[in-house]
Amino acid sequence: MRHGWGVVGATFIVLFVGFGAAYTFSTFFPSLEHEFGATRAETSLVFSLAAFLYFGFGAISGRIADIMGPRELCIAGMAVVGAGLLLAAHATTLWEVCVGYGLGVGFGVGLAYVPAVGAVQRWFTTNRGMASGFAVAGIGFGTLAAPLIAIILIEAVDWRFAYLAMAVGILILGGGAAHFITVPANGPAAGPALSGFTVGEALSSRIFWILYLATLVLAFGMFIPFVHAVPHALDQGFSLVEANALVPLIGVGSTVGRFLLAPIADRIGRKLCLALLYAGMGAMLGAWMLVVPFWQLAIVAGVFGLCYGGFVALAPSVTADLFGLRSISAIIGLLYSSVGIGTLLGPPLAGLAYDEFSSYEWPFFAVACLAVVAACVIAFIPTGGQRPPG
């Protein structure tokens, strides 16, 4: 068990630096838009490509981790993220940023994310929700700290130097922590001996596709604030400091959500909490367009982060509850491909709407409604008695 908490700590660091790099994008958005004369739809596509890859590629990396273990995949992932940011720092066109940031961060985080989170699930049973919450809190802390660090570096030098500095930090911190992400001695090689669904059995289950479609619907709007929060706030006349505070505020809420909600969910029901979090994200996306003073927008960002953080903490545990541990990394990876598809479409479409109508209102309200629909779908997932076919 003590080793298991060490894996939780190592996963925390890997997710901190990996997703910290990913969720600084809104901070870089104005610099990239100005540097390359790009539209908001074009600039948004850089992040969406990365998010599509790191969520979509989890279906592959998760399956590999179930067979050979997570350590080597996590080490390779951190190396790819660092190399991608180094390339982005030297880009002369937005396309080169897409290759460096989009492919580098996308494939790199995709190699590490699901294997690391899946490894945590194998070390715990009764405290699985809490352990998962602590591990993925690295994403929340990364969302809080990395944009603040990035804006300091951008203001002190420029956006290229910020990417260089982030690359070095990821290679040192993330690469070092990845060496400690392992599974128990009877881990990957004993996969078939563990109880639960195989990948094929999960894909044949109606329950999996209900969960998949609900997550896909939610994902259309889930990452729009991570991309468009800063430019939207600047459009509304808020200062650069206020605009750049929004993503860290999401990070604060996200961190609190991972620590606070996961242990509560272990007691009152993880699936119920997940449905409520879906609805909460929808409500905050709608409120984002309705509030006017900055303090109200700050509260909305924080509560959105709270719900998002709870979702990230609980989704792997709910998946393990429904399908067991036999192929948990691969099944989580397949589920997260829905997030990749939604994220590939959502932020660029929001950017396109702004380019056409000079407003974010209708995309925010549309994805808010979709998130509430997703919450209702989650409520219909049967609980208890789920067994592999046969």
Side-chain angles (χ1 to χ4, degrees):
M1 180 64 72
R2 183 178 300 175
H3 194 137
W5 286 108
V7 172
V8 169
T11 299
F12 177 98
I13 294 173
V14 165
L15 300 185
F16 172 86
V17 297
F19 281 95
Y23 293 161
T24 59
F25 187 78
S26 192
T27 302
F28 286 87
F29 197 114
S31 297
L32 296 175
E33 186 181 18
H34 174 75
E35 176 87 10
F36 301 110
T39 66
R40 293 198 178 175
E42 291 169 342
T43 309
S44 302
L45 188 60
V46 177
F47 174 85
S48 290
L49 175 61
F52 170 73
L53 289 172
Y54 63 65
F55 282 118
F57 193 66
I60 299 173
S61 63
R63 180 57 179 161
I64 296 172
D66 282 334
I67 297 171
M68 61 174 287
R71 182 174 176 269
E72 288 74 16
L73 289 171
C74 292
I75 293 171
M78 293 297 96
V80 172
V81 173
L85 291 178
L86 288 172
L87 178 59
H90 293 89
T92 58
T93 65
L94 188 64
W95 170 247
E96 291 174 2
V97 179
C98 276
V99 173
Y101 177 95
L103 297 183
V105 174
F107 277 123
V109 175
L111 280 168
Y113 179 31
V114 171
V117 172
V120 171
Q121 310 307 311
R122 294 200 180 215
W123 283 98
F124 297 90
T125 53
T126 56
N127 292 321
R128 184 178 294 141
M130 181 181 295
S132 184
F134 277 111
V136 298
I139 303 176
F141 274 96
T143 308
L144 167 61
L148 297 176
I149 296 170
I151 191 60
I152 291 172
L153 295 173
I154 292 171
E155 290 294 306
V157 186
D158 61 14
W159 66 272
R160 297 180 185 276
F161 177 79
Y163 272 150
L164 285 172
M166 289 167 55
V168 172
I170 288 166
L171 291 171
I172 295 173
L173 294 177
H179 284 78
F180 299 97
I181 298 179
T182 60
V183 292
N186 62 344
L194 297 171
S195 64
F197 289 61
T198 65
V199 172
E201 290 165 347
L203 292 176
S204 299
S205 167
R206 180 173 61 93
I207 304 303
F208 176 83
W209 291 110
I210 293 174
L211 184 61
Y212 189 94
L213 290 174
T215 308
L216 173 64
V217 168
L218 174 72
F220 283 114
M222 187 161 56
F223 288 99
I224 288 178
F226 288 96
V227 177
H228 293 284
V230 172
H232 168 66
L234 293 174
D235 292 341
Q236 298 302 111
F238 295 116
S239 70
L240 185 63
V241 173
E242 290 172 325
N244 279 291
L246 290 174
V247 174
L249 285 170
I250 295 175
V252 172
S254 177
T255 302
V256 173
R258 294 159 209 261
F259 284 115
L260 178 65
L261 297 179
I264 294 174
D266 283 339
R267 292 181 174 86
I268 69 173
R270 290 186 276 262
K271 187 180 76 71
L272 172 62
C273 283
L274 192 65
L276 292 174
L277 293 171
Y278 277 43
M281 276 186 274
M284 293 304 102
L285 286 168
W288 207 292
M289 292 293 104
L290 298 176
V291 298
V292 178
F294 180 77
W295 68 267
Q296 293 180 359
L297 185 57
I299 291 174
V300 168
V303 176
F304 176 86
L306 182 79
C307 296
Y308 168 74
F311 159 77
V312 175
L314 291 179
S317 298
V318 170
T319 305
D321 292 341
L322 292 171
F323 302 105
L325 295 175
R326 183 173 182 178
S327 300
I328 183 60
S329 293
I331 295 172
I332 291 173
L334 287 167
L335 175 64
Y336 281 173
S337 69
S338 66
V339 181
I341 295 170
T343 306
L344 180 64
L345 298 175
L349 288 176
L352 182 62
Y354 180 87
D355 293 335
E356 292 293 325
F357 305 111
S358 299
S359 172
Y360 285 112
E361 286 189 1
W362 81 258
F364 267 81
F365 287 135
V367 295
C369 293
L370 288 175
V372 174
V373 170
C376 295
V377 171
I378 289 290
F380 284 98
I381 294 179
T383 55
Q386 298 301 315
R387 296 290 184 273

